[in-house]
Amino acid sequence: MTYVVTERCIKCKYMDCVEVCPVDCFYEGENMLVINPDECIDCGVCLVECPVDAILQDSEGGAEMWLQLNARYSKIWPNIVMKGEPPADANRWAGAINKLNLFSPQPGRQS
């Protein structure tokens, strides 16, 4: 079992989850974070830290697509181990729906 980051993270990226992860399994793209399912130890501490409920267990309904997306992008995005600043407009996107259709995952974080 593992946890996955879902659409709710897109354009929010608050990163509270990164601070509590004991195995540093989060990876950062331009629009969202993902979890490497091979590194996640299923501890669940990230789940309660996410202010927009963007993390769910891979066994939950609808998680299969997100498991694949997390696995794919965690192989190409840079690992993130410290909380950074969320996007300036994060609060605007926190409750938005259909964000995946509006913003496809982008390559890596632009510094």
Side-chain angles (χ1 to χ4, degrees):
M1 300 265 250
T2 185
Y3 286 88
V4 294
V5 180
T6 66
E7 180 174 43
R8 290 180 181 213
C9 183
I10 296 173
K11 297 292 282 180
C12 290
K13 230 170 57 168
Y14 288 109
M15 297 180 259
D16 298 48
C17 52
V18 173
E19 291 275 296
V20 298
C21 181
V23 294
D24 299 330
C25 64
F26 282 89
Y27 292 79
E28 182 180 17
E30 180 69 21
N31 292 329
M32 70 181 294
L33 304 177
V34 293
I35 293 172
N36 183 318
D38 295 327
E39 296 172 354
C40 179
I41 60 171
D42 195 30
C43 67
V45 295
C46 61
L47 185 67
V48 297
E49 291 299 319
C50 181
V52 293
D53 297 323
I55 300 171
L56 57 88
Q57 201 163 37
D58 69 340
S59 59
E60 290 187 39
E64 181 60 32
M65 180 194 77
W66 294 106
L67 178 60
Q68 292 173 9
L69 186 141
N70 278 241
R72 176 180 175 201
Y73 287 105
S74 66
K75 288 179 176 47
I76 58 174
W77 289 349
N79 185 245
I80 180 172
V81 298
M82 293 176 49
K83 180 179 177 177
E85 289 295 319
D89 61 348
N91 290 339
R92 174 179 172 232
W93 293 103
I97 57 172
N98 296 318
K99 293 190 281 185
L100 186 60
N101 293 328
L102 295 172
F103 307 99
S104 62
Q106 300 295 312
R109 178 178 155 192
Q110 295 180 8
S111 300

